[in-house]
Amino acid sequence: AQKVTQAQTEISVVEKEDVTLDCVYETRDTTYYLFWYKQPPSGELVFLIRRNSFDEQNEISGRYSWNFQKSTSSFNFTITASQVVDSAVYFCALSERLRDTGRRALTFGSGTRLQVQP
Amino acid sequence: DADVTQTPRNRITKTGKRIMLECSQTKGHDRMYWYRQDPGLGLRLIYYSFDVKDINKGEISDGYSVSRQAQAKFSLSLESAIPNQTALYFCATSDGSGEKLFFGSGTQLSVL
């Protein structure tokens, strides 16, 4: 069963629009971490944010903000006043214990491709 | 210099060939991972290692093997490459604190 769902495969917006990328996760752990990574056209993976399961405070960093709601198992990412440089694939990820080893590893969603048109 | 270095950056090979992708890191992390990225599927875990003597299979280990030669080096091998192993491969490290991963730049592998 998929553990991290990013239902939006691709989103296209015009510059200066606000855009929200959805992420829904599934886990039996009581302690876990959630992440967002950005993959620009150059291909590297850029860390954006980590949130632990005990901290439901929303976070804002410049034009970026994140809304974590345990009640709905969601960790959504909003870009305010989008810019062309925000064009990228964005991945949501969940860190949880793997059943076979009990070790932690990240499980990624399938990604959302964001295109910001000038 | 990059903290997590993958070589080669690009590789084209033929079906049936053996190929090795290498990863080295200067971050001093014990934990290392290999992920594979396919369009529309995100990143999937192939193998992970929490120290030199600790190697574990991930979600999609069939057709792959790994070697942890030292704390800083973690290699991924395809013993007999097949076309559906064409993908972008990422190596990553973690210090185990909060599971944040530090990624290499990726290796684009094409199997013809």
Side-chain angles (χ1 to χ4, degrees):
Chain A
Q2 190 171 8
K3 299 295 186 66
V4 180
T5 302
Q6 295 181 254
Q8 304 151 308
T9 304
E10 188 162 344
I11 301 174
S12 183
V13 299
V14 177
E15 209 169 18
K16 298 185 182 178
E17 285 186 25
D18 298 346
V19 58
T20 295
L21 309 182
D22 297 332
C23 175
V24 175
Y25 63 93
E26 176 187 337
T27 183
R28 295 181 179 180
D29 277 358
T30 55
T31 301
Y32 53 89
Y33 292 91
L34 293 162
F35 298 79
W36 277 93
Y37 280 85
K38 173 182 180 180
Q39 186 177 43
S42 54
E44 75 270 23
L45 287 158
V46 179
F47 168 81
L48 295 178
I49 190 171
R50 174 182 61 201
R51 171 68 70 215
N52 76 50
S53 54
F54 295 107
D55 183 1
E56 287 195 69
Q57 283 189 335
N58 292 330
E59 179 151 342
I60 298 174
S61 176
R63 295 184 298 106
Y64 295 171
S65 63
W66 290 269
N67 183 304
F68 175 33
Q69 292 193 341
K70 287 181 74 172
S71 61
T72 57
S73 297
S74 64
F75 186 44
N76 297 335
F77 172 32
T78 297
I79 302 175
T80 302
S82 59
Q83 300 176 1
V84 173
V85 294
D86 295 326
S87 297
V89 179
Y90 291 85
F91 291 100
C92 180
L94 165 70
S95 171
E96 61 171 355
R97 293 194 182 280
L98 302 175
R99 275 184 294 179
D100 51 351
T101 63
R103 303 297 180 83
R104 288 186 176 277
L106 290 197
T107 297
F108 286 81
S110 55
T112 297
R113 181 178 297 278
L114 174 64
Q115 294 192 347
V116 181
Q117 309 289 345
Chain B
D1 288 341
D3 294 321
V4 183
T5 302
Q6 291 184 235
T7 56
R9 289 297 307 276
N10 291 281
R11 181 72 183 266
I12 300 174
T13 191
K14 294 182 178 180
T15 298
K17 294 291 187 181
R18 183 179 188 277
I19 185 168
M20 178 182 289
L21 309 183
E22 300 191 1
C23 177
S24 63
Q25 52 116 346
T26 58
K27 299 190 75 66
H29 291 166
D30 287 328
R31 302 182 182 190
M32 297 187 74
Y33 306 79
W34 276 103
Y35 282 88
R36 165 180 171 161
Q37 182 182 0
D38 297 277
L41 293 178
L43 281 78
R44 293 180 291 166
L45 183 62
I46 306 173
Y47 270 95
Y48 59 105
S49 170
F50 276 24
D51 67 38
V52 175
K53 296 184 179 180
D54 179 80
I55 293 178
N56 303 281
K57 294 181 178 180
E59 177 187 356
I60 55 165
S61 60
D62 288 349
Y64 301 95
S65 62
V66 291
S67 173
R68 184 82 184 265
Q69 301 94 325
Q71 185 206 36
K73 295 184 182 294
F74 191 38
S75 300
L76 176 72
S77 293
L78 289 68
E79 296 300 326
S80 181
I82 56 177
N84 76 1
Q85 291 177 312
T86 294
L88 181 58
Y89 290 84
F90 284 101
C91 175
T93 73
S94 168
D95 64 3
S97 170
E99 309 310 315
K100 176 182 175 181
L101 294 183
F102 297 84
F103 285 92
S105 298
T107 295
Q108 178 63 56
L109 175 65
S110 298
V111 183
L112 304 179

